[in-house]
Amino acid sequence: MKLLVRKLELFLRFALVYPLLRALFHNPVLNGPVSLEKVRKILILRYDRIGDIIVTTPVIEALRNAAPHIVIGVFASAANSGLIRHNAHVNHIYVVSNNWIAPVREILRARKERYDVVLNFIFNRTTSGGILANLIAPRGIKIGQGADHYGFYFNRLLKLDRGQRHMVDVLFEYVETVFGRRLRRADVRMRIILVPGDTLRAREFLNRHGLKARDQGTPGFAVVNISATDDVRKISHAQALGIVHAIRNCGLPVVLISSPTDNAWRLSVAKHFGTSGVLAFPPEGTADLREVAALVGYAALVVTPDTAIVHVASAMQTPIIGLFTPLQVSAEWLPFGVPNKVVMAEQNQPVREIAVERVAEEIRKFTRGGSIS
């Protein structure tokens, strides 16, 4: 039955939806580069996951450095938009939300800017990105990436070499191909710009428990994230306890963080260790992503199975031990620009199958090998 429904869906898409949209959208083919000097406004579509917006910040910064005159807008999601708040390289932020009225308002607001170029950085939802690009900038140059049958949404459809390089490098290739010039990468890195209000809760937490930020001297503390979005990346309870034990044996206090859905588990793991230097942040309720980023920025080490926190730690320049699985691993989502150790599950195994003893040994070698300060 599922196969039949899938075949019917594909038939309707190719027989009805694509021909109708092809008739509505008129995007002449553009084969050559766009002159960056002549562009006034660029819109980037990035309304997907948390980590995706973080890995986009280096190329936004590079674009700003190459063309300071350009207005840069970002169409973000409710989940990730906060992570580019206060980023001086972004002029306008538009937010897609579940409320159907809000996206219409944001589309109209973006349309008023008359963007010259729209860059669709969402590679797994090409149809939604293509429709959005045409609604916002019907006369603008629209660039996408993907299969040939999506070509009518855009003026140019790129074929990028993906899977073997970090997403930062993929996005640089994307933009450099569009504009036909190299962008300066020196001193450009992932960034989350925090303001004092973002750091207040983390600083109060550290002061209350006598923990030192990494710039205040040793031993500092480690952050352990016990949550993961995808099932194959989730860790077991035994792994959570083993990771904490290993870090404590290396002399570092541990602060546990989690997604809101794992609050009870986070508090339970902290309670398991009593008063032996294992704390939960926050001790009650939830913290927003910018508060978590502040805490991660103060830490000497982050251990996480979730790539969103990998990218947060990369942006905050905090050393990382990342737990990965070949079921989902891709070079695109590895740590970037910081000391790190990737602990990979065996072939076709999820993260929860990584032996606790192996993770503990990697933590010991990493913390004692001079990778953290």
Side-chain angles (χ1 to χ4, degrees):
M1 185 64 181
K2 288 184 179 179
L3 180 60
L4 179 62
V5 171
R6 176 60 178 163
K7 287 184 176 180
L8 180 59
E9 177 189 336
L10 290 174
F11 171 77
L12 292 174
R13 184 182 301 174
F14 283 93
L16 297 177
V17 177
Y18 287 166
L20 176 61
L21 292 176
R22 189 177 289 109
L24 289 174
F25 301 145
H26 302 283
N27 295 304
V29 175
L30 173 70
N31 291 317
V34 177
S35 172
L36 189 58
E37 289 71 23
K38 294 180 180 178
V39 173
R40 299 174 304 109
K41 299 181 179 182
I42 295 174
L43 179 66
I44 293 171
L45 304 185
R46 191 79 276 189
Y47 52 92
D48 38 9
R49 293 190 176 190
I50 291 166
D52 296 298
I53 201 81
I54 301 173
V55 301
T56 305
T57 57
V59 79
I60 291 175
E61 183 175 346
L63 271 172
R64 170 66 68 215
N65 292 340
H69 68 282
I70 288 179
V71 171
I72 298 177
V74 178
F75 225 105
S77 67
N80 68 25
S81 61
L83 294 175
I84 54 169
R85 196 186 313 149
H86 307 302
N87 188 317
H89 305 302
V90 178
N91 301 97
H92 302 294
I93 300 173
Y94 311 93
V95 181
V96 175
S97 67
N98 293 329
N99 179 349
W100 70 270
I101 296 176
V104 172
R105 184 174 62 243
E106 295 292 79
I107 289 170
L108 293 175
R109 187 163 70 91
R111 190 180 173 105
K112 289 180 180 178
E113 287 295 320
R114 299 182 183 276
Y115 285 98
D116 304 302
V117 177
V118 180
L119 305 176
N120 182 25
F121 282 177
I122 300 178
F123 298 159
N124 60 347
R125 280 184 272 170
T126 308
T127 294
S128 66
I131 293 173
L132 187 60
N134 280 274
L135 291 176
I136 292 172
R139 293 188 176 87
I141 296 172
K142 294 166 281 291
I143 311 294
Q145 189 273 342
D148 290 339
H149 59 261
Y150 295 120
F152 67 91
Y153 288 120
F154 307 99
N155 298 95
R156 186 173 183 183
L157 196 66
L158 303 180
K159 303 293 184 183
L160 301 176
D161 177 21
R162 297 184 55 195
Q164 302 304 312
R165 298 174 299 158
H166 200 281
M167 180 54 71
V168 170
D169 297 315
V170 172
L171 293 179
F172 266 91
E173 180 196 350
Y174 184 122
V175 173
E176 289 170 347
T177 301
V178 171
F179 297 110
R181 57 180 288 183
R182 296 281 294 176
L183 297 178
R184 183 174 179 270
R185 303 193 189 193
D187 303 321
V188 173
R189 62 175 179 82
M190 297 184 194
R191 298 183 193 275
I192 300 172
I193 308 301
L194 302 178
V195 297
D198 300 321
T199 62
L200 179 61
R201 196 175 185 185
R203 286 190 288 107
E204 288 180 343
F205 177 85
L206 299 186
N207 292 336
R208 187 183 318 125
H209 296 287
L211 297 178
K212 292 182 179 180
R214 65 177 177 217
D215 61 352
Q216 295 177 323
T218 56
F221 66 96
V223 168
V224 175
N225 169 46
I226 62 172
S227 296
T229 304
D230 303 300
D231 183 65
V232 295
R233 287 187 175 136
K234 292 181 179 179
I235 63 173
S236 68
H237 187 70
Q239 283 174 316
L241 297 180
I243 289 168
V244 174
H245 272 300
I247 295 172
R248 292 297 295 121
N249 288 340
C250 293
L252 288 175
V254 174
V255 179
L256 298 166
I257 62 172
S258 71
S259 67
T261 56
D262 286 329
N263 278 352
W265 183 27
R266 182 185 76 234
L267 296 175
S268 171
V269 173
K271 186 177 180 180
H272 174 89
F273 289 91
T275 58
S276 60
V278 181
L279 303 163
F281 178 83
E284 57 185 25
T286 61
D288 69 31
L289 279 170
R290 297 177 67 81
E291 291 173 331
V292 170
L295 179 74
V296 166
Y298 290 133
L301 170 68
V302 168
V303 181
T304 176
D306 188 72
T307 54
I309 298 300
V310 165
H311 300 322
V312 169
S314 295
M316 302 309 295
Q317 295 289 279
T318 302
I320 303 162
I321 296 177
L323 309 181
F324 285 80
T325 167
L327 296 174
Q328 282 195 333
V329 71
S330 169
E332 293 177 345
W333 310 115
L334 296 176
F336 184 85
V338 296
N340 68 84
K341 174 62 181 179
V342 171
V343 183
M344 186 71 64
E346 299 297 326
Q347 188 175 10
N348 298 322
Q349 296 293 317
V351 166
R352 60 181 171 272
E353 296 297 329
I354 301 175
V356 172
E357 296 78 13
R358 181 181 164 209
V359 179
E361 177 61 15
E362 294 295 351
I363 290 171
R364 187 192 67 78
K365 290 192 293 187
F366 192 76
T367 55
R368 297 180 183 178
S371 296
I372 67 173
S373 56

